[in-house]
């Protein structure tokens, strides 16, 4: 089992910044991908950004140039620095930890979510 604990959400004005953190604990597979997804009211959950243990990152087009994902493999923590926030970034943000072996999913865990609200 893997536990993911998120923090850092809150209310911010448009143009502002927030930093989300997600600390993982438990039986974490060394080679994995940690990332952030979000779900706005009435919409499906969507990818925001991911960071692989080997160093690769991936971003949704809507956040490129504004958000930066990073991770500390020693602390098993992933961060999401969000700058130039827009009202449309308002959503519940979920942390995810994913691992596969020989193409087979062996871990896929989610945090409880943290609310990010951007006001105009």
């Amino acid at each position: 089992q893997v536990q993911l604990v998120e923090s850092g959400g809150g209310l911010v004005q448009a143009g502002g910044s927030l930093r989300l953190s997600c600390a993982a604990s438990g039986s974490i597979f060394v080679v994995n991908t940690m990332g952030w997804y979000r779900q706005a009211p009435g919409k499906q959950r969507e990818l925001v950004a991911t960071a692989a243990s080997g160093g690769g990152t991936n971003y949704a087009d809507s956040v490129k140039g504004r958000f930066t994902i990073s991770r500390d493999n020693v602390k098993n923590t992933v961060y999401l620095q969000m700058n130039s926030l827009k009202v449309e970034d308002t959503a519940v943000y979920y942390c995810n930890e994913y691992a596969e072996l020989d193409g087979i999913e062996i871990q896929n865990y989610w945090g409880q979510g943290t609310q990010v609200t951007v006001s105009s």
Side-chain angles (χ1 to χ4, degrees), residues 14-101:
S17 298
L18 281 175
R19 187 189 193 214
L20 305 183
S21 299
C22 172
S25 61
S27 302
I28 304 163
F29 201 66
V30 174
V31 179
N32 67 5
T33 297
M34 296 186 72
W36 292 94
Y37 293 73
R38 67 187 181 187
Q39 187 166 17
K43 295 187 177 182
Q44 289 188 330
R45 190 173 297 187
E46 62 177 6
L47 178 146
V48 177
T50 61
S53 53
T57 58
N58 182 45
Y59 293 92
D61 288 342
S62 59
V63 307
K64 282 181 182 177
R66 301 188 298 123
F67 291 10
T68 302
I69 190 169
S70 60
R71 58 184 290 171
D72 183 329
N73 290 333
V74 174
K75 295 181 179 180
N76 289 318
T77 300
V78 64
Y79 306 95
L80 185 68
Q81 178 66 44
M82 305 184 292
N83 298 329
S84 302
L85 281 160
K86 304 177 180 180
V87 172
E88 50 264 42
D89 293 318
T90 296
V92 178
Y93 283 69
Y94 296 92
C95 178
N96 174 262
E97 189 269 347
Y98 178 86
E100 62 179 33
L101 186 62

